[in-house]
Amino acid sequence: MTVNVNVPEEQLQESDCEPVQQSNGTQVVSEDETTTTTSSDNHNNGKTPKDDATNKEIVEKSPTASGDKSSIDQELIVIQENLYPIKILVPGMEPFEVQVSPQELVQELHQLLKDREGTCHRTCFKLQFNGNTMDNFCELKNIEGMKEGSEVRLVDEMYSVREARLHVRHVRDLLHSLDNVDAHHGSDCSSLCYVNLVTDNDISTDGNLSNNTAAPTVSINNNSSNKQQTDNSGRTSPESPTPAATDNNDNKKTTEHKRRRRAGDQQATNENIVDCTPPDYIMPGAKDRIVTPIHPTSSELMRMDSCIKVVCMSQWNPPPGGRLLHGDLIYLCVVTNEQKRYHITCNPRGFYVNQTDMDTFNPKQVPGAQPFHSLIDLLNHLSPSFKRNFAILNRKRFNRHPFERIATPFQVNCWTAPETPHEVDHVRAEDTFSSRLIVEEHLPGQNTRDWNEEISGTRELPRTTLPERLIRERAMFKVHSDFVAAATRGAVLCVDGNVMAINPGDAKNMRMYIWNNIFFSLGFDVRDHYKDYGGHHAAFYAPSADLNGVKAYGALDIEGLNVLGTAVVDYKGYRVTAQTIIPGILEREQEQSVVYGSIDFGKTIRTTDEFLKLLSKTTKPMHIIPHSIKDAKSESISLQSSIECKGIHGNDKRHYILDLQKSFPPDVNFLPPPEEDVVTSSSSSEVSKFGEKTAPEIVESEEDKERKKKFSRWQPMLAPECIQMGFPRKHRHRLLTHRPELVEAFVEHAYHVFVCHCTTKIVSYRNTEKQQQQQIGSSESGDPPTTTEEEKMKSASESSALVARWQEDAVRSAAKLVGSYRDDEFDIRFNPDIFSPGLNFDQSDEQVEQERRMICDLARFLINNQIPTFIKDCLDHVSAPLDGAALTKALHDKGIGMRYLGKVIPLMKESRPLQHVYKIGILEILLRSAKHVMRPYMQHLDQMSVAHGTSHFFNCLLGTLSTPVPSRPDDQLISKKKKKLRGKNRSAPSSSNNNASGNVTTQATAASANNGGAIGTNGQVATSPQLPWYRFTPEMLWEKITIEAKEYYDFVIEDCSGIDDVVEKYGLQKISFLRRICQVMGVQIQTRDYAFDSKNKAVFVEEDIIRLFPIVKHAPPRASDAAQFFSSAQTKVQQGAIREAFELFSESLNLYTNVYGAVHVEISSCYRQLARLHYMMSEHSEAISSQLKAVILTERCLGVDNSSTICDLMNLALYCFASQKISASLKLLYRARYLILLAHGSDHPEIALVDSNIGLVLHGVQEYDLSLKFLDEALKINEKYHGENSHKAALSHHLLARAHSCKGEFRMALTHEKETFKLYKTLYGEKHDKTKESAECLRHLTEQAVTLQRTMNEIYKNGSTVSFPPLQV
């Protein structure tokens, strides 16, 4: 039957606004305040997204002189480019036109042709204009005669060996362009994207709603659905026969929805019926959490035949010397779908079939065979099946969104992947077993890339004007992304043992590597450098802290000051630091290289004027106090940074700084108590409880000894609030520093106090002066004396001087109050070395205590301000994390380190609205504790046991089986008789424990003993053989996790001896635990539905572990101008200036695309904001277009199940519903609900929002029974997390009343609507519009109920058949 979606207006407004407000956290402006603008999307003529985003020329003007802080620093005039068409002439094709810009490079025109459907198979060609070859790096405007209508001819070029191999690789990429094999394997920067697959391409490729197509028919399978057919007036009509009525299956009912066109009132229906029945696994109350739907599959792609069976390099390669003189470059072997085998020769002119077979080499051309310049053209000629299937594949490839085809700048890995058949891929095989295993791809003129020169050279590019900055930042980002890819690959090779160490004679944990001009080191304390700071724990933490310093100093972008290219890679339990190599550092000792800082913790300190001058520019933005420290010779050395920061003058005459792990203030909340340090300082031979030894004594004066002893004692002066929470706590290392976000928040808070104090002080001075003047005036009698002009001017001058003196006094007083570094202005700084032991500061005792007090105030600020602010944000639902990753980001944004998790989470235990955050926090504590246990466990696994050991660890962690018995790789070497005997022994419960303690093979014991380079759970190198991995039991694992949670997070896990106890006590999900442990440890598992509650069989087997992938941290460069535009646009949105905000977001998008390319997470943020503004201006089609791009980019850059992806899916569903795309809206909401269930479960406030929207859409298509299920669930969750008297609960009651009234259940409808009226009256008062609307709805429902009851009574009384009155809602 055909139904018209007729949703009440107040429901649509309430439901539509909620997701936007929550996801963006800003106020929605009413329609009256909005102004219409044009869309920024200009995709046409097959141009790439990068070309589309750069469709405007930006001319920089001088900085504005206005003092408006919200305005941008530079005035930009946007000039529309004069796009013009040119004609492309391609051999064998009809000429076609493309739109080009005068600023485009010829190389971009090359890329456009490679991305075009008809020319995508061409790689070796040149472009000619007027008979002259066009330079690839020349702009079109610089080509003489180039104008509108010009003809550019594509001319095939001669192949070389390099070009031939690139062409074959390109053919391989085309043939695999529709599958996700590379994305699942995490190669070639491929990543997953499912939004168009989920919606069955119901949203067109450009995201716009086509005016000449109708919405698809919505089909809902529901046995108990009670649907009523309505016309446009809202009255019911007799139910007409439906197509489902003629089928044998009476349970299936079909509804057709008419969508009103935006251009007119014409209506149409789609012939295709789309099933939008909710899957059982997302229904409210469903308990099973399955994994398989995370990777939806396309039936069309599964049914599509392959184009060709085999395309590989021939065994006759390379060509012999004689054939090289005939032009033979490479030989290929091809097997078509017709089971025909061809041997193909590539020469400079193209490809042809030769007479070679598997046994005989005959490179001559087959008689009658013609050569083709493209391998695709040759295969089309040889195989009709290939020609047909490749045309289908190519058409489907170009129907995909362009953002789905472009590589991401950084590799994104998914924690689960489906099992795919391993097929022949000659390119993959060649990449694996070639010289690339040790050496990166050869570039012209050099063997490997000089990463340090590239990174430093791009930083030195000019940056005066905006175009120069764009070119500079684009080059910096490209080099950085290439470096991260190379560093990641090198780190994996080093851990796997495929790179020769530069010190192969040392233990494995002490080895260092150089590969592809990148230096790699493992996270162990190799030379006891950190023995006084926590040993291996400090060495493991130092790379992460150093990376934070690299980010901070790199963001300052001080000219002449260079930081190293750095990436931190976690893989197989190891932490690998990858750094660029400073020129000349390998040619001399470290003592000779370092010219600034100290390498022995203050005994010897060096400095130079050049470094002091450069680092002095960083002290204010880094909030660092310049300080002086006396070395062992009692010489005072000035420093502009932490003493750990080392400056090196490279052979390239550049200044480099490294070892920036102590760039931020130390966290005194985790420093040892004072009494422990007193023991340390009393005797040089004693060891503190923290495990540190005192520094050896050096020759110095008695005065210096006394001062050093005094200053080395810990006097943190912690606030009572910190002491009440159990601080200071001893930690495993002393390198803990505060996050930069906390420092910025503290400075902002101090500035607010500073301004308020100044204002109060000046007002106080003015009031005092006024009172004194009044007293003087009252004491004098008679008329006031006359004053001359000179006296007036003198009085005004004195008054001005008095005000200036007040201001100066107020500033000095406020500066002293907030602890400013300077007493005449606001300048908050910290001394990062002030709590370092063994340093002799050349300053007064009062200054030392003042600097220590500032750091203690920072620690108190975290406890008193940041943690309560975070909890308040969670209570107000400003922050609603969906999983542990989102919780981590929310805490980091407040400057709260994850080591505070054990102190923050218990504060939420008794608060009902915070139960979802409490559960996520508990899961994160357990997860991180398990991660600390799993790291050394993984380090002890040999290459043959990785899959077996990982699956066994997961069984112990998440399985219900009490004694899981793992399969071991050496089982294959045992005879069948012994294996059968072992199976009998394992089947007996009593004997299994005996085997666990006694039967250890000599090989396994030797392997465990020899692998002593790994670290145990305490971070120290194992000195005794660790228990073999197959002896691990669930009891042992959970005991370690419990101890780790107590020691690291100060969180006690009571009465939990296994995962089942944790699930029962805290209500956690095993699948959520599995998802997070795979994400943080880099484990990819097979996509299948795991039976976690099985007590007879292990949950995981070795085949479930597909691969291990690296977790990479790096410091990407930022697009500064684009970020400035984005920030200004957000300010405009908050001010309600929608038009200005839209223009600023559009410019930010263009600048981001210029720097990052088409695919980047920052670009997704721009599209998200543009979509929101389009929606606010009722431009729903444009909102869908922008939001679709945001979803695609978020999926590809962050992951298909990331929390940001879920929010974007919900917003896209909202915009689709507003445009009457009912089918797409439902599927997107189903997808979002499934991902939330997978990440957290059904007990989350976001589930209420999703369920409300699902219920609203189902109500619109008259699926009232299904709608009621979701709305009931939404009401329960809203009442739990928002309160029974909240406006969320009132809205849920209102939606339930609507749904019940449509079913004729007026008693339930009246009950819910009365509750709605009661809540609105309490919240807003009787005169509010919502209260009046609820009262009107209540009156209308009462009338309908009375009419229905009167009709029922007449039926019962007279016994006659009376027609029911139409239900009006």
Side-chain angles (χ1 to χ4, degrees):
M1 59 184 173
T2 303
V3 298
N4 180 43
V5 179
N6 188 11
V7 181
E9 189 67 22
E10 62 270 19
Q11 294 184 26
L12 188 61
Q13 289 179 355
E14 287 284 350
S15 179
D16 288 357
C17 292
E18 288 297 334
V20 181
Q21 287 178 340
Q22 287 200 1
S23 61
N24 297 287
T26 53
Q27 183 180 2
V28 175
V29 182
S30 63
E31 249 183 308
D32 298 335
E33 299 173 358
T34 60
T35 54
T36 305
T37 58
T38 58
S39 174
S40 62
D41 303 321
N42 294 311
H43 296 285
N44 51 48
N45 293 327
K47 296 187 71 174
T48 61
K50 183 175 181 179
D51 299 328
D52 298 329
T54 59
N55 59 352
K56 297 181 180 179
E57 179 183 4
I58 303 175
V59 182
E60 187 177 34
K61 304 292 288 184
S62 60
T64 60
S66 63
D68 185 9
K69 292 184 178 180
S70 63
S71 64
I72 58 177
D73 293 337
Q74 293 169 334
E75 179 186 0
L76 299 177
I77 299 178
V78 181
I79 301 177
Q80 196 71 26
E81 286 184 353
N82 297 321
L83 299 177
Y84 59 87
I86 62 173
K87 185 175 293 185
I88 306 294
L89 306 180
V90 181
M93 291 181 58
E94 292 292 330
F96 57 89
E97 289 187 348
V98 296
Q99 295 283 342
V100 297
S101 164
Q103 282 72 31
E104 283 190 24
L105 298 176
V106 177
Q107 188 178 25
E108 297 181 38
L109 199 56
H110 272 261
Q111 188 62 39
L112 185 149
L113 295 175
K114 290 181 182 180
D115 289 337
R116 192 176 178 89
E117 183 174 359
T119 56
C120 65
H121 58 284
R122 299 178 180 269
T123 60
C124 188
F125 61 88
K126 59 184 177 182
L127 298 177
Q128 289 186 350
F129 176 64
N130 291 337
N132 299 320
T133 301
M134 303 166 63
D135 184 7
N136 287 347
F137 299 98
C138 179
E139 293 183 352
L140 295 181
K141 64 181 180 182
N142 296 329
I143 299 177
E144 184 178 358
M146 181 66 66
K147 60 182 180 180
E148 180 179 354
S150 298
E151 294 184 353
V152 175
R153 184 177 300 275
L154 184 149
V155 180
D156 294 328
E157 276 197 304
M158 305 283 279
Y159 282 104
S160 63
V161 175
R162 177 181 180 274
E163 291 293 338
R165 289 182 176 272
L166 289 177
H167 182 79
V168 175
R169 173 182 288 274
H170 183 67
V171 170
R172 181 264 180 193
D173 293 338
L174 291 178
L175 297 179
H176 290 272
S177 58
L178 291 184
D179 58 39
N180 290 322
V181 175
D182 290 340
H184 289 310
H185 292 170
S187 60
D188 296 334
C189 288
S190 300
S191 58
L192 301 170
C193 180
Y194 290 132
V195 59
N196 283 320
L197 189 59
V198 167
T199 58
D200 292 331
N201 291 314
D202 192 17
I203 307 174
S204 57
T205 54
D206 59 353
N208 293 319
L209 299 177
S210 178
N211 288 337
N212 56 3
T213 58
T217 298
V218 180
S219 174
I220 305 290
N221 293 336
N222 185 12
N223 296 337
S224 60
S225 80
N226 182 17
K227 292 178 282 191
Q228 296 175 341
Q229 187 174 359
T230 63
D231 57 16
N232 291 338
S233 63
R235 296 189 300 270
T236 59
S237 59
E239 188 172 28
S240 59
T242 63
T246 60
D247 297 338
N248 294 329
N249 185 8
D250 295 332
N251 294 332
K252 183 176 182 179
K253 298 184 178 181
T254 306
T255 63
E256 295 183 354
H257 166 64
K258 294 181 179 180
R259 176 170 55 86
R260 184 179 301 274
R261 298 182 181 182
R262 293 191 63 193
D265 295 332
Q266 299 179 359
Q267 295 180 344
T269 56
N270 195 338
E271 296 179 356
N272 297 326
I273 298 176
V274 181
D275 184 13
C276 290
T277 306
D280 292 337
Y281 54 83
I282 71 157
M283 290 295 294
K287 299 298 182 183
D288 295 333
R289 300 287 183 259
I290 58 179
V291 184
T292 48
I294 196 174
H295 295 300
T297 56
S298 173
S299 57
E300 295 183 4
L301 294 180
M302 295 179 66
R303 290 194 304 264
M304 194 172 65
D305 297 330
S306 61
C307 297
I308 199 166
K309 289 188 176 295
V310 176
V311 178
C312 64
M313 291 292 174
S314 172
Q315 61 187 3
W316 297 104
N317 278 309
R323 294 306 304 174
L324 288 174
L325 300 180
H326 287 77
D328 291 1
L329 301 177
I330 58 173
Y331 300 129
L332 302 176
C333 181
V334 172
V335 180
T336 65
N337 290 338
E338 293 83 3
Q339 298 299 327
K340 294 183 179 180
R341 184 183 299 271
Y342 299 96
H343 287 264
I344 298 174
T345 298
C346 175
N347 66 7
R349 296 185 179 273
F351 299 83
Y352 63 85
V353 179
N354 59 38
Q355 301 180 30
T356 302
D357 56 26
M358 298 300 294
D359 300 322
T360 306
F361 177 69
N362 186 359
K364 294 183 179 181
Q365 187 172 346
V366 172
Q370 64 183 72
F372 293 83
H373 190 267
S374 171
L375 180 60
I376 294 292
D377 293 336
L378 176 60
L379 295 177
N380 283 336
H381 176 74
L382 296 177
S383 172
S385 173
F386 179 89
K387 184 176 182 180
R388 179 179 63 256
N389 294 338
F390 182 76
I392 297 174
L393 181 146
N394 210 22
R395 186 167 57 253
K396 290 183 178 297
R397 173 175 177 264
F398 281 91
N399 285 337
R400 300 175 67 185
H401 197 282
F403 287 169
E404 299 182 52
R405 307 198 301 261
I406 303 174
T408 58
F410 307 106
Q411 185 63 55
V412 179
N413 296 284
C414 186
W415 62 278
T416 177
E419 184 179 9
T420 56
H422 191 65
E423 298 178 351
V424 175
D425 189 343
H426 77 278
V427 174
R428 180 183 59 209
E430 185 180 9
D431 288 347
T432 304
F433 298 104
S434 68
S435 60
R436 287 187 61 200
L437 183 65
I438 304 300
V439 180
E440 192 60 49
E441 298 96 357
H442 292 280
L443 296 181
Q446 55 184 5
N447 291 333
T448 57
R449 298 176 65 172
D450 189 346
W451 296 108
N452 184 79
E453 178 60 33
E454 291 190 34
I455 293 176
S456 301
T458 53
R459 291 176 62 91
E460 294 172 352
L461 291 175
R463 46 180 161 176
T464 305
T465 63
L466 178 61
E468 289 178 348
R469 288 197 297 273
L470 291 177
I471 294 174
R472 175 177 179 267
E473 291 173 347
R474 184 189 311 144
M476 290 172 58
F477 182 76
K478 181 67 174 84
V479 172
H480 177 80
S481 60
D482 292 346
F483 166 75
V484 171
T488 303
R489 186 165 177 262
V492 171
L493 291 175
C494 292
V495 173
D496 288 339
N498 295 325
V499 176
M500 177 67 71
I502 60 177
N503 53 340
D506 295 339
K508 183 178 181 180
N509 66 309
M510 299 178 64
R511 293 175 186 171
M512 294 171 285
Y513 307 86
I514 293 179
W515 179 85
N516 196 10
N517 275 338
I518 303 176
F519 177 77
F520 298 91
S521 59
L522 303 180
F524 299 102
D525 190 10
V526 178
R527 299 179 179 178
D528 291 335
H529 183 74
Y530 296 103
K531 66 176 182 178
D532 294 333
Y533 285 84
H536 290 289
H537 286 298
F540 190 89
Y541 175 81
S544 180
D546 179 56
L547 184 63
N548 290 333
V550 171
K551 289 180 182 179
Y553 278 98
L556 297 181
D557 207 2
I558 302 298
E559 187 174 358
L561 187 63
N562 296 274
V563 294
L564 302 183
T566 306
V568 179
V569 182
D570 291 335
Y571 178 67
K572 279 188 177 180
Y574 291 93
R575 171 156 291 182
V576 184
T577 304
Q579 293 177 313
T580 55
I581 302 175
I582 300 176
I585 194 173
L586 300 178
E587 302 171 3
R588 52 182 184 264
E589 295 294 332
Q590 184 179 16
E591 293 79 4
Q592 300 173 351
S593 302
V594 176
V595 296
Y596 174 87
S598 175
I599 62 173
D600 51 9
F601 303 103
K603 298 177 186 176
T604 56
I605 308 174
R606 296 184 176 92
T607 187
T608 61
D609 295 337
E610 294 88 350
F611 272 102
L612 288 177
K613 182 178 180 181
L614 288 172
L615 289 173
S616 64
K617 303 177 183 178
T618 69
T619 54
K620 188 168 185 177
M622 289 292 294
H623 305 289
I624 293 178
I625 298 177
H627 50 281
S628 300
I629 301 178
K630 289 186 177 182
D631 59 6
K633 300 178 181 178
S634 297
E635 295 180 0
S636 180
I637 307 296
S638 298
L639 296 176
Q640 301 283 342
S641 65
S642 168
I643 193 174
E644 284 294 310
C645 173
K646 299 173 181 60
I648 295 179
H649 196 231
N651 287 354
D652 55 358
K653 307 303 181 183
R654 295 190 179 103
H655 298 82
Y656 299 89
I657 55 173
L658 62 155
D659 289 350
L660 307 175
Q661 60 266 22
K662 296 184 70 176
S663 299
F664 298 101
D667 189 355
V668 294
N669 285 334
F670 286 89
L671 290 179
E675 57 269 19
E676 295 187 6
D677 192 75
V678 171
V679 177
T680 303
S681 59
S682 60
S683 174
S684 61
S685 61
E686 294 183 4
V687 181
S688 67
K689 297 179 181 179
F690 191 66
E692 289 183 311
K693 294 183 179 180
T694 57
E697 294 184 0
I698 56 178
V699 179
E700 52 190 2
S701 64
E702 293 297 330
E703 181 181 356
D704 289 338
K705 286 183 179 181
E706 184 63 28
R707 173 173 292 184
K708 187 173 182 179
K709 180 179 178 181
K710 178 179 180 180
F711 288 167
S712 64
R713 293 197 184 109
W714 300 106
Q715 298 176 358
M717 301 171 291
L718 287 181
E721 298 86 351
C722 300
I723 298 175
Q724 185 178 359
M725 293 190 69
F727 296 116
R729 289 191 64 244
K730 62 178 181 180
H731 200 71
R732 292 175 176 173
H733 59 83
R734 293 187 176 181
L735 293 183
L736 290 176
T737 57
H738 286 296
R739 297 191 60 83
E741 297 89 346
L742 178 67
V743 177
E744 295 300 329
F746 179 81
V747 172
E748 184 179 352
H749 174 76
Y751 182 75
H752 177 73
V753 174
F754 178 87
V755 172
C756 292
H757 184 79
C758 284
T759 305
T760 305
K761 203 75 173 175
I762 293 174
V763 170
S764 175
Y765 286 149
R766 184 178 291 114
N767 293 335
T768 303
E769 180 67 19
K770 186 181 297 184
Q771 291 177 4
Q772 292 177 358
Q773 292 294 337
Q774 290 176 355
Q775 291 177 2
I776 294 174
S778 62
S779 63
E780 295 179 355
S781 61
D783 297 334
T786 58
T787 57
T788 63
E789 286 295 330
E790 184 178 353
E791 292 177 345
K792 289 182 179 180
M793 293 179 60
K794 183 178 180 181
S795 176
S797 177
E798 292 177 354
S799 177
S800 177
L802 181 63
V803 172
R805 189 166 63 253
W806 289 348
Q807 292 177 350
E808 183 180 355
D809 292 343
V811 168
R812 291 184 180 276
S813 176
K816 183 178 181 181
L817 176 66
V818 299
S820 175
Y821 171 67
R822 298 183 58 178
D823 58 358
D824 57 346
E825 66 177 4
F826 177 81
D827 189 4
I828 298 297
R829 302 193 189 189
F830 304 93
N831 185 347
D833 296 325
I834 197 64
F835 280 102
S836 298
L839 297 183
N840 187 5
F841 294 96
D842 187 17
Q843 53 195 31
S844 64
D845 296 354
E846 293 76 12
Q847 189 175 355
V848 170
E849 294 304 317
Q850 172 64 22
E851 293 175 358
R852 290 187 174 182
R853 190 177 297 107
M854 284 294 297
I855 293 182
C856 293
D857 290 343
L858 182 63
R860 181 177 58 184
F861 175 77
L862 186 148
I863 300 298
N864 290 348
N865 290 71
Q866 296 305 93
I867 292 180
T869 302
F870 169 74
I871 296 177
K872 185 179 184 300
D873 287 347
C874 294
L875 277 172
D876 297 338
H877 299 280
V878 175
S879 175
L882 288 172
D883 59 359
L887 176 64
T888 302
K889 184 179 184 303
L891 287 171
H892 285 174
D893 288 343
K894 297 296 181 184
I896 305 172
M898 296 307 291
R899 56 186 174 273
Y900 287 91
L901 204 58
K903 299 295 185 181
V904 177
I905 296 305
L907 301 176
M908 306 179 181
K909 182 177 181 180
E910 304 300 330
S911 177
R912 189 180 181 189
L914 295 177
Q915 287 305 300
H916 62 293
V917 186
Y918 178 72
K919 290 180 180 180
I920 295 174
I922 294 294
L923 179 61
E924 198 66 11
I925 291 176
L926 295 173
L927 160 78
R928 290 173 178 269
S929 300
K931 178 181 69 174
H932 296 167
V933 178
M934 191 175 182
R935 277 174 179 159
Y937 177 91
M938 295 290 291
Q939 293 171 9
H940 281 85
L941 296 177
D942 57 69
Q943 191 65 30
M944 293 179 58
S945 304
V946 172
H948 299 78
T950 306
S951 61
H952 179 60
F953 187 91
F954 284 173
N955 282 325
C956 294
L957 181 66
L958 301 171
T960 307
L961 194 62
S962 58
T963 55
V965 180
S967 60
R968 292 163 50 190
D970 53 355
D971 288 347
Q972 302 175 1
L973 305 177
I974 304 176
S975 63
K976 293 183 179 180
K977 183 176 180 180
K978 292 184 178 180
K979 185 178 292 187
K980 183 182 294 185
L981 180 60
R982 175 180 292 178
K984 291 182 180 180
N985 292 335
R986 288 181 177 178
S987 62
S990 60
S991 61
S992 63
N993 294 333
N994 296 332
N995 291 336
S997 60
N999 287 332
V1000 181
T1001 60
T1002 305
Q1003 179 181 359
T1005 305
S1008 177
N1010 292 334
N1011 196 4
I1015 59 172
T1017 56
N1018 59 354
Q1020 304 298 327
V1021 176
T1023 57
S1024 60
Q1026 185 173 338
L1027 190 69
W1029 63 266
Y1030 49 84
R1031 304 295 184 194
F1032 229 54
T1033 62
E1035 292 80 7
M1036 295 169 54
L1037 174 59
W1038 279 96
E1039 182 182 0
K1040 289 177 177 290
I1041 291 175
T1042 303
I1043 296 174
E1044 188 72 14
K1046 173 60 180 175
E1047 292 183 354
Y1048 199 93
Y1049 297 102
D1050 196 23
F1051 185 84
V1052 179
I1053 303 175
E1054 298 178 351
D1055 303 328
C1056 293
S1057 59
I1059 185 64
D1060 294 329
D1061 296 336
V1062 171
V1063 170
E1064 181 179 358
K1065 182 175 181 180
Y1066 298 107
L1068 307 181
Q1069 290 188 149
K1070 293 183 180 180
I1071 187 64
S1072 302
F1073 204 155
L1074 174 64
R1075 171 180 173 270
R1076 283 292 292 150
I1077 192 70
C1078 289
Q1079 288 176 342
V1080 300
M1081 288 301 300
V1083 180
Q1084 188 178 67
I1085 62 174
Q1086 183 178 336
T1087 304
R1088 69 176 182 88
D1089 301 331
Y1090 294 93
F1092 290 102
D1093 297 330
S1094 176
K1095 297 184 178 180
N1096 301 321
K1097 185 180 179 181
V1099 180
F1100 302 92
V1101 294
E1102 58 270 18
E1103 286 79 10
D1104 292 329
I1105 310 301
I1106 295 180
R1107 69 185 181 97
L1108 302 182
F1109 58 85
I1111 308 297
V1112 186
K1113 302 176 184 177
H1114 53 95
R1118 295 178 69 248
S1120 56
D1121 294 284
Q1124 188 178 5
F1125 271 88
F1126 191 87
S1127 177
S1128 301
Q1130 288 180 316
T1131 304
K1132 292 296 183 182
V1133 171
Q1134 294 175 356
Q1135 295 172 354
I1138 303 301
R1139 181 182 181 85
E1140 292 84 351
F1142 187 90
E1143 293 175 354
L1144 289 172
F1145 278 130
S1146 300
E1147 294 309 319
S1148 176
L1149 172 63
N1150 290 330
L1151 296 178
Y1152 272 133
T1153 308
N1154 265 282
V1155 175
Y1156 296 141
V1159 178
H1160 195 272
V1161 65
E1162 298 291 350
I1163 298 177
S1164 70
S1165 300
C1166 290
Y1167 279 122
R1168 184 183 304 118
Q1169 297 294 338
L1170 288 173
R1172 176 172 171 267
L1173 295 182
H1174 279 304
Y1175 176 76
M1176 293 164 61
M1177 295 184 290
S1178 298
E1179 299 172 355
H1180 298 153
S1181 179
E1182 290 81 1
I1184 290 178
S1185 175
S1186 297
Q1187 187 63 26
L1188 176 63
K1189 297 170 187 175
V1191 174
I1192 293 174
L1193 294 178
T1194 308
E1195 279 190 317
R1196 297 207 57 213
C1197 296
L1198 298 179
V1200 294
D1201 60 341
N1202 188 270
S1203 58
S1204 297
T1205 303
I1206 298 173
C1207 295
D1208 284 342
L1209 288 172
M1210 293 165 61
N1211 287 337
L1212 181 58
L1214 168 66
Y1215 305 151
C1216 289
F1217 180 73
S1219 298
Q1220 303 296 303
K1221 301 286 288 185
I1222 304 301
S1223 171
S1225 179
L1226 276 175
K1227 291 176 181 178
L1228 291 168
L1229 289 171
Y1230 294 160
R1231 174 75 172 176
R1233 192 178 205 278
Y1234 164 72
L1235 294 178
I1236 296 177
L1237 292 176
L1238 192 68
H1240 177 77
S1242 60
D1243 191 18
H1244 196 281
E1246 288 294 320
I1247 284 287
L1249 181 61
V1250 175
D1251 287 350
S1252 296
N1253 289 339
I1254 292 176
L1256 182 62
V1257 179
L1258 291 175
H1259 176 275
V1261 296
Q1262 300 184 1
E1263 285 293 337
Y1264 304 123
D1265 287 335
L1266 284 174
S1267 176
L1268 285 173
K1269 292 181 180 179
F1270 287 98
L1271 292 177
D1272 281 331
E1273 184 72 12
L1275 175 61
K1276 295 177 183 177
I1277 298 176
N1278 279 329
E1279 288 182 341
K1280 177 178 180 180
Y1281 288 105
H1282 297 278
E1284 297 179 356
N1285 299 324
S1286 63
H1287 72 280
K1288 296 275 189 180
L1291 177 60
S1292 294
H1293 281 294
H1294 180 67
L1295 296 178
L1296 282 168
R1298 293 285 185 176
H1300 281 294
S1301 65
C1302 290
K1303 291 187 63 179
E1305 299 172 352
F1306 289 102
R1307 180 171 297 179
M1308 292 296 298
L1310 284 170
T1311 301
H1312 285 291
E1313 194 59 40
K1314 287 179 181 178
E1315 191 67 25
T1316 301
F1317 176 77
K1318 175 184 174 182
L1319 292 176
Y1320 281 155
K1321 182 179 178 181
T1322 304
L1323 292 172
Y1324 306 117
E1326 294 184 357
K1327 296 183 180 181
H1328 196 272
D1329 291 340
K1330 291 183 179 294
T1331 309
K1332 293 179 180 179
E1333 291 173 3
S1334 180
E1336 179 64 22
C1337 183
L1338 194 60
R1339 183 192 60 80
H1340 182 73
L1341 290 175
T1342 304
E1343 292 177 356
Q1344 291 285 302
V1346 171
T1347 303
L1348 180 63
Q1349 188 62 39
R1350 186 182 300 117
T1351 305
M1352 293 294 296
N1353 292 340
E1354 186 177 348
I1355 293 175
Y1356 292 144
K1357 180 179 180 180
N1358 300 330
S1360 61
T1361 303
V1362 180
S1363 62
F1364 286 96
L1367 299 179
Q1368 298 180 0
V1369 182

